[in-house]
Amino acid sequence: MASGKRIMLVTGANTGIGYDTALFLARADSHNHVIVSARNEQRGLDALKKLQAMKLKGTLSFQKLDIASDESIFTAVKEIEAKFDKLDVLVNNAGIFVTGPTTRAAMRKTFEVNVYGPVILTDALAPLLKKSNDPRIINVSSGLGSIGARLDSTDAYYHNPGEAYRMSKAALNMASANQKYNYREKNFKIWSYCPGFVITDIGLGDSAQREDSRKKKREAGAESSETSAQGVLDIVEGKRDAEMDLFVQRYGKTWPW
Ligand SMILES: NC(=O)c1ccc[n+]([C@@H]2O[C@H](COP(=O)([O-])OP(=O)(O)OC[C@H]3O[C@@H](n4cnc5c(N)ncnc54)[C@H](OP(=O)(O)O)[C@@H]3O)[C@@H](O)[C@H]2O)c1
């Protein structure tokens, strides 16, 4: 790897917001190297191939990474260390929305991916982030995790379901605050970022009904996930540096914690 590159890891980059984020980061600057990570090797390699075919300014590579598995996390960190020896940007994007009642199993499954994964991955990557001159972590949260908005009956998403998901994103917001504390002496810049209500496959379940569900999302006002990727790029490019203690959204907006 040529020196002088800004090394950026995006989790869950094979589809949705993660894919668009990898695209926007790699397209933005020839100094950017984006590690497209995915839990499924084939899906990840397919995404990498698609991105590389666009002949973007930056470079890209693939990393297998399942954030629900410590073994996968520690193997990936070792491989990233061997290839790049540092990390400049970590986008903790991978996430799930488990539909149905708030059972123990649903909460466990949700927290495994939305909370435990990003926390363990970030701590495992901290030694590599410490080697960066400008380490940045973006935890992709959700307005549904805002406690302030949950208590506000005028909030547009007041009646939205997803208790386990809401709790997991509130916990992820606390993880951001913990990371700000843990890495305060190393100039880490850390954000909780809501990517907005956008059209992806999250929570859509059965692939047979996905097109119909996507259509319904569009009709309900969901925007393109490229708008979410633009929001990540803004943070990476330093446009939201004054808002590091806030829970940021796209378009320069914020949520209450
Ligand atoms: N879409 C929205 O409106 C919205 C709103 C607010 C917040 N968000 C957040 O945005 C993030 C991205 O969501 P999205 O809408 O782009 O959803 P998506 O299209 O379903 O993509 C989710 C990504 O996470 C990956 N993933 C799931 N479990 C994983 C694991 N154990 N290890 C590694 N990767 C895993 C998925 O991989 P597979 O393809 O292999 O399943 C996929 O790449 C999530 O954190 C979500 O909570 C989304």
Side-chain angles (χ1 to χ4, degrees):
M1 176 58 48
S3 61
K5 285 263 184 185
R6 238 178 138 190
I7 312 297
M8 309 177 169
L9 172 66
V10 183
T11 65
N14 56 291
T15 188
I17 294 166
Y19 175 84
D20 283 334
T21 296
L23 165 62
F24 274 53
L25 294 177
R27 194 172 61 188
D29 197 311
S30 60
H31 291 103
N32 293 349
H33 178 85
V34 182
I35 307 172
V36 173
S37 78
R39 62 176 164 169
N40 179 286
E41 188 154 2
Q42 196 52 56
R43 287 198 287 271
L45 287 172
D46 287 348
L48 178 73
K49 211 168 143 193
K50 243 169 88 182
L51 289 165
Q52 284 176 330
M54 293 183 210
K55 307 245 176 283
L56 304 166
K57 279 192 252 175
T59 48
L60 297 129
S61 58
F62 170 69
Q63 177 63 54
K64 185 168 162 57
L65 173 56
D66 179 348
I67 60 162
S69 154
D70 283 358
E71 196 191 336
S72 176
I73 289 176
F74 296 131
T75 303
V77 170
K78 267 196 206 132
E79 290 174 3
I80 293 167
E81 181 177 20
K83 283 184 203 151
F84 304 101
D85 196 40
K86 67 151 185 169
L87 186 67
D88 297 287
V89 175
L90 167 61
V91 186
N92 277 315
N93 164 76
I96 57 169
F97 185 113
V98 177
T99 53
T102 314
T103 59
R104 186 181 294 271
M107 288 190 280
R108 256 196 195 140
K109 195 172 170 193
T110 306
F111 272 67
E112 281 291 347
V113 178
N114 294 3
V115 186
Y116 309 154
V119 168
I120 291 165
L121 178 65
T122 302
D123 287 342
L125 285 167
L128 293 182
L129 285 158
K130 283 178 187 168
K131 293 184 181 180
S132 168
N133 296 327
D134 182 24
R136 288 170 184 257
I137 300 168
I138 297 153
N139 291 317
V140 180
S141 182
S142 166
L144 293 178
S146 160
I147 294 174
R150 189 61 174 134
L151 296 170
D152 176 2
S153 61
T154 67
D155 182 73
Y157 304 102
Y158 187 63
H159 296 293
N160 267 49
E163 285 182 21
Y165 182 79
R166 286 178 178 276
M167 287 189 283
S168 74
K169 293 299 187 179
L172 181 65
N173 286 350
M174 180 55 85
S176 295
N178 288 340
Q179 290 161 356
K180 285 169 204 262
Y181 174 80
N182 290 337
Y183 303 119
R184 66 194 177 285
E185 280 149 20
K186 290 289 174 190
N187 287 336
F188 277 45
K189 296 191 175 78
I190 299 161
W191 286 264
S192 265
Y193 167 67
C194 168
F197 179 39
V198 296
I199 305 158
T200 67
D201 289 338
I202 196 162
L204 296 190
D206 191 339
S207 53
Q209 288 152 19
R210 280 194 180 170
E211 246 341 287
D212 191 40
S213 308
R214 277 174 162 252
K215 193 166 156 253
K216 282 196 187 122
K217 266 195 182 178
R218 205 169 294 122
E219 284 162 3
E223 295 176 69
S224 159
S225 48
E226 293 199 348
T227 62
S228 314
Q230 181 60 51
V232 176
L233 181 62
D234 288 348
I235 294 173
V236 169
E237 290 185 336
K239 294 182 183 143
R240 311 290 302 263
D241 282 9
E243 299 167 276
M244 258 188 304
D245 288 337
L246 303 176
F247 177 10
V248 300
Q249 334 181 17
R250 301 165 303 170
Y251 310 135
K253 293 186 192 167
T254 57
W255 280 106
W257 287 109

